[in-house]
């Protein structure tokens, strides 16, 4: 697999240099050729899950756009080259903008889906009070919901009566992830209670080379607030 990746990097490096160089753009050819080779070697050769996904694809898209444009220029299709470059740039910008604006493109359906992964279902209406996503290689996602008194009481009873509930008072935050030593595992749960809150932790790692999902769902006893945290590190 790595041999194919190295071969692909060499092909992209040669094309990104030779195509503009052939049109007399020597400085551009050297600059783009060297930068693409360097960045792609650093990112694509050590393939590593989320880091590869969010940095590798934008660079690969840029390489495709650059090579497509200069290929058409060399073939004498200058207008077509511009149209293709603009079209591909717009298409490549969509997932990037979606990631940048992720804090603002978070909906109730997204919250329900993440909670459902943890066997938590809200029956009544709720509102999103806060949502934040930070980090790239080590991602952290947190949101807060205002839920009803009925949902709060029902979920507190659900966790207390679950088969994952423990009364061990020595449990610390993020303990479940440490216990499993970041190994491969289908989703496992641990529920426990403190004076001010009740909490469900879950851990899942299905593929080698990818970050595990470590989720923390905290239900406050003092108010009707549910907090969800996902740590990918």
């Amino acid at each position: 697999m790595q041999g194919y990746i190295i071969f692909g990097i060499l092909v992209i490096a040669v094309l990104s240099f030779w195509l503009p160089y052939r049109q007399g753009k020597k400085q551009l050819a050297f600059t783009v050729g060297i930068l693409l080779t360097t960045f792609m070697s650093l990112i694509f050769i050590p393939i590593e899950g989320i880091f590869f996904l969010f940095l590798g694809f934008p660079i690969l898209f840029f390489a495709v756009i650059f090579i497509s444009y200069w290929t058409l220029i060399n073939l004498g299709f200058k207008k077509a080259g511009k149209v293709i470059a603009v079209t591909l740039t717009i298409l490549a910008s969509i997932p990037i903008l979606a990631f940048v604006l992720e804090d603002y493109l978070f909906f109730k359906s997204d919250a329900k889906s993440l909670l459902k992964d943890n066997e938590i279902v809200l029956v009544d209406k709720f509102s999103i009070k806060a949502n934040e996503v930070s980090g790239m290689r080590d991602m952290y996602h947190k949101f807060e919901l205002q839920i009803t008194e009925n949902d709060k009481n029902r979920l507190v009873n659900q966790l207390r009566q679950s088969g994952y509930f423990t009364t061990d008072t020595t449990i610390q935050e993020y303990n479940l992830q440490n216990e499993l030593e970041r190994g491969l595992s289908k989703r496992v749960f641990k529920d426990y209670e403190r004076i001010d809150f009740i909490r469900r932790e879950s851990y899942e790692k299905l593929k080698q080379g990818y970050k595990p999902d470590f989720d923390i769902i905290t239900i406050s006893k003092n108010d009707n607030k549910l907090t969800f945290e996902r740590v990918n590190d």
Side-chain angles (χ1 to χ4, degrees):
M1 179 65 178
Q2 196 170 62
Y4 289 108
I5 293 174
I6 294 173
F7 177 75
I9 292 173
L10 290 175
V11 170
I12 291 174
V14 170
L15 290 175
S16 63
F17 172 81
W18 180 72
L19 291 170
Y21 187 89
R22 192 168 180 267
Q23 294 294 315
K25 304 293 184 180
K26 296 181 179 180
Q27 185 175 355
L28 179 65
F30 278 106
T31 301
V32 175
I34 292 172
L35 287 177
L36 274 179
T37 304
T38 302
F39 285 129
M40 293 185 75
S41 298
L42 291 173
I43 293 171
F44 281 87
I45 293 178
I47 301 175
E48 190 174 342
I50 203 75
F51 189 61
F52 167 81
L53 180 65
F54 285 106
L55 290 182
F57 276 107
I59 292 174
L60 185 59
F61 263 110
F62 172 79
V64 170
I65 294 169
F66 186 83
I67 291 171
S68 299
Y69 173 77
W70 283 104
T71 297
L72 291 170
I73 293 296
N74 275 271
L75 293 173
F77 301 112
K78 189 172 183 179
K79 289 184 178 180
K82 290 181 179 179
V83 171
I84 292 296
V86 171
T87 302
L88 291 177
T89 300
I90 292 173
L91 292 175
S93 300
I94 293 173
I96 296 173
L97 287 174
F99 175 73
V100 172
L101 299 174
E102 190 171 6
D103 285 2
Y104 306 99
L105 298 175
F106 185 76
F107 304 104
K108 289 184 178 181
S109 58
D110 300 314
K112 285 184 175 180
S113 178
L114 289 169
L115 292 175
K116 188 176 180 180
D117 289 342
N118 289 276
E119 301 181 4
I120 298 290
V121 177
L122 295 176
V123 176
D124 301 331
K125 292 183 179 180
F126 64 91
S127 59
I128 301 173
K129 293 301 181 182
N131 177 63
E132 62 174 293
V133 180
S134 59
M136 182 172 290
R137 188 168 186 176
D138 296 329
M139 292 190 67
Y140 176 72
H141 183 197
K142 177 180 180 181
F143 63 81
E144 293 181 2
L145 306 179
Q146 187 71 31
I147 62 176
T148 64
E149 183 77 15
N150 178 62
D151 266 343
K152 181 184 77 171
N153 293 333
R154 180 177 56 80
L155 292 175
V156 168
N157 289 330
Q158 175 188 329
L159 297 188
R160 283 174 178 166
Q161 296 171 15
S162 79
Y164 316 115
F165 188 78
T166 176
T167 57
D168 185 357
T169 59
T170 64
I171 298 173
Q172 302 297 320
E173 286 187 305
Y174 306 161
N175 187 63
L176 183 56
Q177 183 169 235
N178 294 332
E179 283 182 6
L180 295 170
E181 297 180 349
R182 300 170 59 85
L184 293 179
S185 173
K186 293 183 178 180
R187 191 171 295 273
V188 293
F189 299 93
K190 177 171 285 186
D191 303 332
Y192 56 94
E193 188 173 6
R194 295 292 181 269
I195 296 175
D196 297 327
F197 63 84
I198 191 165
R199 175 173 291 165
R200 164 162 288 180
E201 295 184 7
S202 74
Y203 175 93
E204 181 178 52
K205 184 177 182 180
L206 299 178
K207 294 182 180 180
Q208 195 66 44
Y210 284 76
K211 303 287 187 180
D213 287 338
F214 178 56
D215 296 347
I216 308 161
I217 299 172
T218 305
I219 301 169
S220 173
K221 295 181 184 178
N222 300 325
D223 51 34
N224 300 336
K225 184 174 72 174
L226 182 151
T227 303
F228 176 95
E229 299 169 84
R230 169 163 289 181
V231 183
N232 299 117
D233 64 1

